[in-house]
Amino acid sequence: MDSMIAAAARALAAGDLLGALKRVALRDDAPALALRGIAMAQLGDLARAKALLKDAARAFAPRETVAKARCIVAEAEIALVSRDLAWPPRELAAARATLEAHGDRLNAAHARLLEVRRMLLIGDLDDAARSLRELDAEPLPPALRASYEMALAGIAIRRLHTRTACDALERAAQAAHDAGIPALAAEVEGMNHVLRIPAGRLISRGGARPLLLGEVEALFASGSLVVDACRYAVREAQTVVPLATRPVLFALARVLAERWPGDASREELVSRAFRGKEADESHRARLRVEMGRLRNELRAFADISATKEGFVLAPKGDREVVVLAPPVEEEEGAVLALLADGEAWSSSALAIALGASARTVQRSLEALAQAGKVHAFGRGPARRWTIPSLPGFPSTLLLPGALPES
Amino acid sequence: MKTSKAEILREYGPFPGKDSVAGVTYDGEHMWFASGDKLNAVDTAAGEIVRSIDISAHAGTAFDGKHLFQIAEDRIQKIDPLTGQVLATIPAPGNGGDSGLAWAEGALWVGNYRGRKIHQIDPETGAVLREIESNRFVTGVTWVDGELWHATWEGDDSELRRIDPQTGEVLHRLEMPAGANVSGLESDGGSQFFCGGGGSGKIRAVRRPG
């Protein structure tokens, strides 16, 4: 490393961003580009940072593999924070492997945490958990430690392991405090907030009330027969019957559960499951067929019998039947749920995260925008979507040092 | 050209509170090393820092028998080792791209890292007297018994190289073991080199061949 780069790197490490930039502003060699990229990222000019880091990665000599890999990790982090989920994850994995092979333990861990965060965002919970298990959290410095605990909490929240999530968030808060990065502490607090606001709505015997995440977890453990409209499944304790790909069966199950212990009329079943106006003879025939299918699916927990008016759900044993609905039900609930993280999303990133087509997501976004529930800014591929009412807590950049010596 | 493996005789550091080592030099009694915002004198027998001077110290360090010279940003400071006072400052020839520093024959020799060359300059004015090309990144530079040696560090690979001061031709390559990278270089005037280990925070003593 040369003198000015060393001076700039020291300034950067001390948080003197302008001091760092001043020292390398006019230089276009690889380490100068990398330092300028990191400094611009910290200053919030992500577009410029991305371009500089890309140039830097290209400009390092082929044998400067560690410096190159660090630039790629920084680029990946910026892509993640910009919700550019199309950024190639294989490049990040390769950079991590390089850093691991060269004993750059901390930056390798940083790269892995970025991989885990991306998996979390696109809902690959199993992969995220597996990848996180391969990481030894013990020697991580506070900022990375906070990031690690937040990833643990993120997985636990999505899996409804409230206790695990709370414990991880407590450790994350301590680590963020130790790191002395207020934005990071705010992010932990934002996740904590999720545990204190309703995660669902319990519909039971004609009444409805909001449920916190911990209460949802307790509900699932209670042995009640739960028709889960957040995950499109019917469950009882550990047994889950997924119906996400069978919307008609799910709709029928939900109507039956909402009317339980009474019966549900043919008219209501037909109108909600088939969107038919009245239960004519062909609808009745179809209803019988679909009920037969649903009976088959739910055989382990309940029976379904015909009544004079319609059908009734008869759970085995002494179980309650309830419906767990999303806190706010709307057609575009899934899109809103993702945007609720406060970040600006591209429609293509939303499509990747939801596993839906770009066209479907676009339609949802347009509908939500007309209702004033989401805002768009930017044009063309740079267009991003946000929820205006939500306080946007920042997704803190914990960038790697760009140079092997630092 | 001869090629051999570097033999590491001893490792110093890492020193408490010093996360990296830039330039190194030797004043006949103490080994000095630059650590960003300090120049530190090390007792080579005990392997401990005995004194530090608060001064910007980003790259090469040298000793002319009386003064210390230290590169900081794009300049070279001339320092009284007794008082720590900066007596004079001259511009560095690489305009901040400078790495190693050595004193010999009444001149300063300055490594230019990515420029892959060594500048010989007038220690009074900073005027460039001569330029020697290398084909590798140049970190530390030192003279011993009329031999010009410089260290290289590119990616994972570091070595010490003796070059012909007239032509730049490589006469001897001393390969450092994997992971032992060399930021600064100085000879003790006798049988060993001191090699600054960059971010490892270590200084390694290497046997001088011959």
Side-chain angles (χ1 to χ4, degrees), chain A residues 72-73 76 87-97 111-112 114-115:
Chain A
I72 289 166
V73 172
W87 196 89
R90 253 173 308 163
E91 278 196 42
L92 178 56
R96 169 174 55 76
R112 186 181 285 281
L114 293 177
E115 289 181 88

Side-chain angles (χ1 to χ4, degrees), chain A residues 1-4 6-7 10 23 27 29-31 60 63-66 102 405, chain B residues 35-37 58 71-73 96-98 113-114 136 154-157 198-199:
Chain A
M1 195 190 308
D2 67 48
S3 180
M4 198 60 98
R10 288 185 67 82
R23 288 175 170 87
R27 286 177 53 164
D29 53 293
F60 277 112
R63 62 169 74 205
E64 295 179 279
T65 48
V66 173
H102 288 80
E405 229 189 307
Chain B
S35 64
D37 54 4
H58 301 124
I71 304 178
E73 300 194 14
D98 312 272
Y113 181 47
R114 299 184 89 81
R136 297 285 293 273
E154 275 189 50
D156 297 333
D157 306 325

Side-chain angles (χ1 to χ4, degrees), chain A residues 231-233 241-251 297:
Chain A
R231 291 159 201 82
Y232 290 88
V241 177
L243 292 175
T245 55
R246 310 183 72 176
V248 168
L249 295 194
F250 183 80
E297 290 291 336

Side-chain angles (χ1 to χ4, degrees), chain B residues 10-15 18-22 24 31 33 179-184 194-205:
Chain B
R10 180 170 175 185
E11 283 194 349
Y12 300 90
F15 303 93
K18 312 277 183 259
D19 50 10
S20 73
V21 175
V24 287
M31 172 171 71
F33 75 94
N181 300 117
V182 183
S183 52
F194 294 123
C195 303
S200 72
K202 291 180 184 172
I203 298 169
R204 299 181 177 91

